Amino acid sequence: MITLNLNGKDHSLDVPEEMPLLWAIRDVAGYSGTKFGCGMGLCGACTVHVDGQATRACITPVGLAVGKKVTTLEALHADPVGQVVQQAWLELGVAQCGYCQGGQIMTATALLKGNPNPDDAQIETAMAGNVCRCGTYNRIRAAIHVAADKLKEGQA
Ligand code: FES
Ligand code: FES
């Protein structure tokens, strides 16, 4: 039995420590917003925050997240930066099929928390591990700029 702090609450999960965090989140704790894509750390569909860092849940053993704060897309509305990122995504109609977008939003939020005003090259570097089969990359970049502008306005 492990205790996982997930979306602000402690969850007691009867899982082995080596189980991928993604399985524990989706199949055991029941948060299905985090998606399975490649299962090998290559696509970013499974991105969550572990202590604020964008983390690939498919290749992270759940035991490594014990004692840390895990946040998934379901709780991002409670995060002031996450909220602004989600708003920008909606305004620009970023999603096409949507499958990759939860991971994209989690990575974009982690980026903006660390760097509130990234340039195109910094966005490209931060988002490079998040693949979109629908090719929404230009809209993702634009939405990150919109979110950065909104965050700046909010601080003014
Ligand atoms: S499912 Fe985790 S990186 Fe692809
Ligand atoms: S919106 Fe379809 S995979 Fe990204």
Side-chain angles (χ1 to χ4, degrees):
M1 190 70 81
I2 63 158
T3 301
L4 188 67
N5 187 286
L6 183 54
N7 295 335
K9 283 188 222 144
D10 279 344
H11 293 254
S12 295
L13 305 178
D14 189 8
V15 298
E17 293 211 347
E18 61 276 15
M19 173 184 273
L21 178 59
L22 180 60
W23 297 173
I25 289 171
R26 284 182 60 87
D27 299 343
V28 186
Y31 289 96
S32 59
T34 309
K35 302 302 183 200
F36 172 77
C38 64
M40 296 189 293
L42 301 172
C43 75
C46 65
T47 306
V48 298
H49 293 175
V50 177
D51 279 351
Q53 298 294 313
T55 301
R56 305 291 184 249
C58 70
I59 52 165
T60 303
V62 65
L64 284 185
V66 171
K68 299 178 177 167
K69 288 184 186 311
V70 179
T71 307
T72 69
L73 189 66
E74 285 89 344
L76 210 61
H77 65 279
D79 178 303
V81 176
Q83 210 175 69
V84 169
V85 170
Q86 285 178 312
Q87 245 170 37
W89 244 249
L90 281 175
E91 271 175 35
L92 271 68
V94 173
Q96 195 163 319
C97 81
Y99 197 84
C100 72
Q101 297 294 333
Q104 306 280 4
I105 286 171
M106 295 306 287
T107 302
T109 300
L111 164 66
L112 288 170
K113 280 168 170 268
N115 176 2
N117 196 21
D119 61 22
D120 282 350
Q122 288 166 329
I123 292 173
E124 206 159 301
T125 302
M127 302 302 295
N130 284 78
V131 176
C132 175
R133 292 187 67 171
C134 302
T136 63
Y137 299 110
N138 289 343
R139 291 205 294 273
I140 288 170
R141 189 171 56 241
I144 292 172
H145 283 304
V146 166
D149 289 345
K150 283 178 186 290
L151 289 167
K152 250 184 283 169
E153 284 163 22
Q155 281 161 8

